Amino acid sequence: MIKVSPSILAANFLNLQQELDKIKTADYLHIDVMDGHFVPNITFGFPLLEALNRVDTLPLDVHLMISDPSRYVDRFMDFGARIIAVHIEAETHLHRLLERIKSRSVEAFVALNPHTPVNALESILPFLDGVLVMTVNPGFTGQKFISLAAEKIRQLDSIRREKGLSYQLAVDGGINLNTAPTVVEYGADILVMGAAIFRSDSPKEVIEKVKELKR
């Protein structure tokens, strides 16, 4: 079954509890952590995760769009992250960091910017729980879907089938009811969706439609 991870970046923060109530049928809550250095925006940090950890919410899917993620990853896991995605472009000792994440029984994902080729992951794929394919340039919500970047989902699905690997494929950026069928057809398992859910008239209906998609 296709899983949905609504991105809190697109939520109305003046009514956050109400926003969370709208997405209870989703599978994860996607948290975009940006530092203003690795990407040209600043978003959330530990206070938000600490607050979310005190309420009944979906499992936290934390996407670290930050430089030197190894400095901070343990604190995000302390606050209840169930998935941690780090960018291959931001981490020098990637294998070491992935093993550290997995040692805490947290799923370790690696994110790829649109310009980063799939072969950059060749030696690390057997150690991953998932790959997060960016179909926009990271940093801001509401951007246009980059179809060429989505082709990497198809490549990664082909590799996992050929090599008998079990990593999940997530996709983030410009995903809506128009683009979702394409990425699911390509092999995506988890769809990160922001504006398409939180700014719709019926977030629950959008989530249901995505979950009904078949390959």
Side-chain angles (χ1 to χ4, degrees):
M1 180 178 289
I2 304 303
K3 296 179 181 179
V4 180
S5 187
S7 173
I8 200 171
L9 185 61
N12 178 0
F13 276 82
L14 294 179
N15 297 287
L16 189 53
Q17 184 61 65
Q18 293 178 27
E19 296 285 83
L20 294 175
D21 290 341
K22 295 176 183 178
I23 60 166
K24 288 184 176 180
T25 56
D27 300 280
Y28 301 102
L29 179 63
H30 190 81
I31 313 292
D32 287 308
V33 179
M34 306 182 195
D35 63 358
H37 184 259
F38 180 69
V39 292
N41 195 11
I42 298 174
T43 55
F44 318 116
F46 304 122
L48 176 62
L49 269 79
E50 184 178 13
L52 291 171
N53 205 30
R54 292 197 299 264
V55 299
D56 181 21
T57 188
L58 295 165
L60 302 181
D61 162 22
V62 179
H63 179 190
L64 298 181
M65 288 177 267
I66 62 176
S67 300
D68 197 11
S70 61
R71 291 182 59 191
Y72 307 101
V73 69
D74 286 294
R75 288 191 65 190
F76 284 106
M77 292 190 287
D78 290 342
F79 286 127
R82 293 277 293 278
I83 293 175
I84 293 278
V86 298
H87 275 261
I88 189 172
E89 304 91 355
E91 179 56 42
T92 303
H93 303 290
L94 187 57
H95 178 267
R96 179 188 299 165
L97 181 55
L98 294 173
E99 290 299 293
R100 192 160 123 210
I101 295 169
K102 291 162 71 76
S103 73
R104 296 279 301 270
S105 298
V106 174
E107 292 187 78
F109 280 51
V110 167
L112 289 180
N113 278 340
H115 71 276
T116 304
V118 166
N119 61 17
L121 287 176
E122 183 177 358
S123 61
I124 207 73
L125 285 175
F127 304 98
L128 295 180
D129 293 307
V131 179
L132 175 61
V133 175
M134 296 300 300
T135 45
V136 297
N137 289 295
F140 299 94
T141 190
Q143 297 184 67
K144 185 178 178 181
F145 178 76
I146 301 174
S147 57
L148 188 61
E151 289 288 337
K152 288 185 280 191
I153 302 168
R154 197 200 303 268
Q155 295 176 49
L156 286 160
D157 181 50
S158 177
I159 292 169
R160 71 177 168 182
R161 292 173 186 273
E162 291 172 4
K163 297 190 175 182
L165 299 174
S166 58
Y167 54 79
Q168 300 174 81
L169 289 173
V171 58
D172 181 1
I175 305 302
N176 53 43
L177 291 178
N178 293 322
T179 56
T182 297
V183 297
V184 168
E185 179 187 349
Y186 287 177
D189 306 295
I190 303 172
L191 275 58
V192 178
M193 303 175 69
I197 289 179
F198 282 112
R199 298 175 191 174
S200 72
D201 293 332
S202 177
K204 182 179 179 181
E205 183 177 342
V206 174
I207 292 168
E208 288 175 351
K209 286 182 177 179
V210 173
K211 287 191 170 192
E212 290 171 356
L213 293 173
K214 305 293 183 182
R215 292 201 178 94

